[in-house]
Amino acid sequence: RMSRTYHQRARILVVDNSEINREMLNDILGEIYEIKLAGNGREALEILEKEHWNLELVLLKLEMPDIDGYELLRIMGEKKWLDEFAVIAVIASLTADVKRAYRLGACDCFRLPFVTSILNHRIENAIATHEKEYRDYLTRAYNRRGFVYMVERFLNHCEDRTRYGILYFNIKNFKATNELLGVKEGDCMLQSFCKSIERSFLHPVYTARVEADHFVSFVERDRISLKKLEEFCNQTFEIYNKKIRVHSCCGIFYLKDENMPVAGMVDRAKLAKQHIVDEYLKPYAVFDHKMEMEYIDKAEIAAAFEEAIINEELEVYYQPIVDPVTGRIMSAEALVRWIHPKKGFISPGIFVLKLEEDGSVSKLDRYVFQKVRSYISGRYEKGLEVVPVSMNLSWMDFYDEALIDEIVDFLEHPEFPSELIRFEITETSYAALEENVGKVLNKIKKKGAWILLDDFGSGYSSFNMLQRFSFDILKIDMSFTREIEMNSRTRRLIPLIIETAHALDAKTVAEGAETKEQVEFLRNHGCDYIQGYYFYRPLKKDEFSEKLDQNSWKCSQNKHKSLIR
Ligand code: C2E
Ligand code: MG
Ligand code: MG
């Protein structure tokens, strides 16, 4: 059964023209519910106009002078208020047309006087039935849907939304605890945790369980004391006679004075939670401006993305890849940049992921491919210095036949050396690789374009990838390069990776070299090429062209004939 805390007391409107009835109901119900009273139809309508969104139930007398209960029911139906609350019809005499009341949308009906306990029970049932799809079966708090619905409804009628905040809670290590204690105890812990939120200093307006061990609360901002929150996130529960310490963490989003879907607020509070660095030291984090830049709604991205292409918000940068012995630019990687008109720079690491989730990443890669192709072939036709440029393929691209055809067609072009374009894949393509990618990659390779294995060593099937396909280059993941100075194991590992690559007739590129020490180490251990800020950041097209021009000038004496380097 539904249990409500003080601040989540259901709100009931009693509409009755008899003062004795009103007072009686107010006395009986007032202990459990928040009661509003109306003495006639007109008063009832006034209250409903203002607060229909904030009611769980209306107790409605049918026989009243002037605007009676039937007429009120009709209006409630017309205004769609009956979606928002349940109505129980109250009759004074047996001549009342109960059938008509049911037809108009009342869910229950009784005659006064009534036994208190039965009355309470029927009211609870009416509310529970009405809210069934909005409630979480385990905790009886709202579910995600109910939370979104209730908060949206609340905010539609709220004058100052900046007075509120959303808190996103997550129990630490719940899965482990659940396995250790058992499912029954785990459930009990979730219930206790939920109750503890509802009964806490936060006095939440609404609380919901949105995922397994994730809870959200809609709270008045003034109630949020970070110090108390810290204590709250580290408390002891008694679960089946066992005392158990429960750590949780909490992301906070303060509402701004702008319209935003509630789901977006919940996402932001969750994102803030993910930014907590040390959950034992400071178990909460407040969503801030920096996170807003990082926060991108999947739907928002997908919608804005096509326009971004048209408006040229997307730009391809080129990051030179260098021979560490000569310092010469030997190739480059095409990296896409999105300068959003409002958010500014959005990291591709973030939006590429969103586009993959949305299924539209291939549009991006087709766009990048076209840009790279026209850039390189343009320079090549003019007889300017060129180097091979690699572009990133997402695993999804392998399912986009049109894109693959476009690539293969271009590589067949007799006037264009296919060595000038290369393709980077990561092990996320592994599953696809098992299916048909091997064939596709071989087709591309046969045309003369190289295939690079990106982020080597960062995943769990890196070596498996080496078994599956003969890559031309392994790109050693940045996480190795970063550790060179601090970690002696890394220093022993990197030479072995390089040796492995060479044993498989592949060359190596180390990603993300930023210091002289890293570069020297890599060079001394035979790493073929280096990509990193130490030499170059990703450059705008024109800047990159300048570097290429100097590249040919500097090296004009010993210019290689072959393009493959
Ligand atoms: P990636 O392919 O591993 O690209 C290398 C990333 O390392 C780039 O980040 C680059 O800017 C960064 N980087 C290079 N040198 C350094 C360094 O010395 N220090 C540090 N800290 N970073 C360095 P970026 O541009 O943010 O790209 C992130 C990822 O987004 C890429 O990782 C790639 O997986 C994806 N991506 C970028 N452009 C595209 C694209 O056009 N299509 C697809 N499908 N994915 C793309
Ligand atoms: Mg890459
Ligand atoms: Mg990489």
Side-chain angles (χ1 to χ4, degrees):
R1 292 258 290 338
M2 195 162 310
S3 64
R4 286 168 188 276
T5 61
Y6 173 77
H7 289 274
Q8 286 183 303
R9 293 207 302 177
R11 285 146 289 223
I12 297 180
L13 171 65
V14 173
V15 188
D16 201 316
N17 57 333
S18 135
E19 200 183 337
I20 300 174
N21 279 357
R22 284 202 304 275
E23 268 172 21
M24 183 185 68
L25 286 168
N26 196 22
D27 281 353
I28 300 175
L29 302 174
E31 277 178 28
I32 311 177
Y33 305 103
E34 215 176 294
I35 305 295
K36 301 210 180 300
L37 300 171
N40 56 51
R42 214 160 286 286
E43 268 176 47
L45 276 179
E46 253 166 52
I47 295 176
L48 283 169
E49 282 289 355
K50 263 192 278 165
E51 291 184 53
H52 58 90
W53 54 276
N54 201 20
L55 292 171
E56 271 76 29
L57 183 88
V58 176
L59 276 180
L60 179 64
K61 168 75 106 22
L62 288 179
E63 310 99 321
M64 291 187 297
D66 202 9
I67 305 179
D68 62 13
Y70 306 104
E71 176 59 9
L72 280 175
L73 265 173
R74 194 191 60 74
I75 296 170
M76 290 173 191
E78 198 177 274
K79 300 221 177 202
K80 305 252 178 295
W81 292 340
L82 291 178
D83 296 340
E84 296 178 324
F85 49 73
V87 176
I88 295 179
V90 178
I91 57 173
S93 78
L94 291 172
T95 54
D97 190 349
V98 176
K99 268 195 192 147
R100 185 168 160 222
Y102 281 131
R103 237 191 353 260
L104 285 166
C107 65
D108 197 0
C109 191
F110 54 71
R111 189 172 161 210
L112 290 174
F114 224 89
V115 180
T116 307
S117 58
I118 300 182
L119 180 66
N120 275 334
H121 191 89
R122 285 175 74 164
I123 286 176
E124 290 232 331
N125 270 347
I127 296 174
T129 309
H130 193 260
E131 291 189 334
K132 203 161 64 203
E133 32 186 328
Y134 291 143
R135 289 280 172 179
D136 168 43
Y137 67 96
L138 184 69
T139 57
R140 302 310 298 149
Y142 288 101
N143 56 25
R144 181 185 284 272
R145 186 167 168 212
F147 184 80
V148 168
Y149 177 80
M150 296 306 286
V151 174
E152 221 134 67
R153 204 172 73 152
F154 186 94
L155 290 175
N156 278 338
H157 298 87
C158 162
E159 271 170 19
D160 182 8
R161 47 175 68 209
T162 63
R163 283 183 44 223
Y164 297 91
I166 301 248
L167 275 67
Y168 195 108
F169 290 96
N170 179 205
I171 303 179
K172 292 307 314 165
N173 298 324
F174 176 72
K175 280 196 188 72
T177 322
N178 202 23
E179 274 175 25
L180 211 67
L181 293 174
V183 174
K184 199 173 65 172
E185 289 79 357
D187 282 356
C188 177
M189 183 193 276
L190 292 174
Q191 286 163 341
S192 309
F193 187 75
C194 187
K195 267 209 193 78
S196 78
I197 298 176
E198 289 174 335
R199 290 180 184 161
S200 69
F201 64 97
L202 292 166
H203 296 268
V205 186
Y206 304 110
T207 297
R209 184 167 77 115
V210 286
E211 270 172 63
D213 57 338
H214 297 208
F215 296 85
V216 287
S217 282
F218 180 72
V219 173
E220 272 175 58
R221 201 180 166 135
D222 289 347
R223 302 234 183 231
I224 303 173
S225 141
L226 295 176
K227 199 168 167 302
K228 285 187 190 157
L229 190 62
E230 210 173 306
E231 284 161 30
F232 178 87
C233 286
N234 181 7
Q235 50 179 329
T236 307
F237 289 117
E238 199 170 309
I239 288 162
Y240 289 97
N241 300 323
K242 259 189 236 137
K243 282 209 163 44
I244 291 167
R245 197 128 198 92
V246 176
H247 291 283
S248 57
C249 48
C250 175
I252 306 169
F253 175 69
Y254 293 120
L255 273 60
K256 293 194 208 77
D257 191 20
E258 62 182 77
N259 255 322
M260 174 191 287
V262 174
M265 301 173 192
V266 174
D267 280 353
R268 282 172 171 83
K270 183 176 182 182
L271 187 72
K273 185 197 67 97
Q274 285 157 355
H275 272 82
I276 295 170
V277 189
D278 184 338
E279 56 267 324
Y280 297 102
L281 221 59
K282 187 173 154 252
Y284 59 85
V286 180
F287 189 85
D288 61 21
H289 180 72
K290 225 176 75 229
M291 297 181 206
E292 181 65 53
M293 290 297 146
E294 194 182 306
Y295 176 83
I296 319 155
D297 191 59
K298 199 168 48 176
E300 205 179 305
I301 281 287
F305 172 65
E306 310 223 340
E307 222 167 293
I309 290 187
I310 298 166
N311 297 343
E312 304 267 319
E313 288 163 26
L314 289 172
E315 208 177 319
V316 178
Y317 277 50
Y318 297 87
Q319 187 176 26
I321 296 171
V322 172
D323 175 341
V325 179
T326 64
R328 190 167 180 214
I329 299 173
M330 304 305 279
S331 61
E333 176 174 9
L335 293 162
V336 72
R337 298 286 176 259
W338 185 350
I339 317 293
H340 193 283
K342 280 204 212 103
K343 292 178 192 287
F345 177 80
I346 307 178
S347 161
I350 291 169
F351 79 81
V352 165
L353 215 73
K354 298 281 171 189
L355 290 175
E356 281 184 347
E357 285 172 27
D358 180 72
S360 49
V361 72
S362 300
K363 275 187 214 148
L364 168 73
D365 289 338
R366 172 175 282 114
Y367 174 84
V368 173
F369 175 62
Q370 282 159 357
K371 291 283 173 193
V372 169
R373 178 174 85 180
S374 78
Y375 174 63
I376 291 295
S377 59
R379 278 188 72 92
Y380 180 76
E381 278 160 20
K382 289 198 192 96
L384 298 168
E385 164 85 357
V386 281
V387 291
V389 171
S390 59
M391 59 166 285
N392 293 281
L393 287 181
S394 154
W395 63 271
M396 276 191 172
D397 296 337
F398 293 100
Y399 295 96
D400 184 336
E401 273 177 40
L403 175 59
I404 300 295
D405 287 347
E406 207 175 308
I407 288 173
V408 173
D409 282 354
F410 179 70
L411 295 176
E412 276 171 352
H413 203 288
E415 256 116 79
F416 182 81
S418 49
E419 303 91 33
L420 284 179
I421 290 205
R422 296 174 174 175
F423 300 93
E424 302 194 1
I425 70 164
T426 62
E427 67 166 72
T428 48
S429 304
Y430 180 70
L433 198 64
E434 291 279 87
E435 285 179 33
N436 64 347
V437 177
K439 258 186 258 152
V440 175
L441 287 182
N442 274 318
K443 206 153 126 195
I444 292 175
K445 230 180 125 149
K446 274 206 200 95
K447 304 285 173 220
W450 279 13
I451 308 290
L452 286 67
L453 180 52
D454 205 353
D455 306 336
F456 180 80
S458 67
Y460 54 84
S461 56
S462 299
F463 275 90
N464 233 326
M465 297 284 281
L466 295 185
Q467 285 201 97
R468 296 275 166 262
F469 190 78
S470 117
F471 292 94
D472 299 287
I473 290 185
L474 296 197
K475 297 189 79 174
I476 303 169
D477 191 65
M478 208 172 330
S479 56
F480 293 93
T481 313
R482 288 237 177 89
E483 297 266 311
I484 288 174
E485 287 121 313
M486 298 88 85
N487 191 336
S488 64
R489 290 175 167 273
T490 309
R491 289 197 294 274
R492 277 182 276 169
L493 215 44
I494 289 179
L496 295 177
I497 297 176
I498 295 170
E499 207 178 305
T500 306
H502 290 166
L504 295 168
D505 297 323
K507 298 201 179 269
T508 47
V509 173
E511 297 182 320
E514 294 184 2
T515 67
K516 192 158 170 257
E517 286 73 22
Q518 292 165 354
V519 170
E520 268 166 15
F521 177 88
L522 290 162
R523 185 180 55 213
N524 293 340
H525 288 88
C527 182
D528 302 282
Y529 311 111
I530 293 180
Q531 172 180 8
Y533 295 173
Y534 179 78
F535 291 108
Y536 300 99
R537 289 181 174 259
L539 304 172
K540 277 177 177 268
K541 189 174 73 183
D542 291 345
E543 259 180 290
F544 179 56
S545 297
E546 257 170 52
K547 301 286 179 219
L548 279 184
D549 294 341
Q550 293 163 5
N551 206 40
S552 77
W553 175 78
K554 248 198 296 194
C555 308
S556 54
Q557 288 102 329
N558 56 350
K559 189 162 182 175
H560 297 281
K561 283 278 165 292
S562 167
L563 282 160
I564 308 173
R565 24 194 170 192

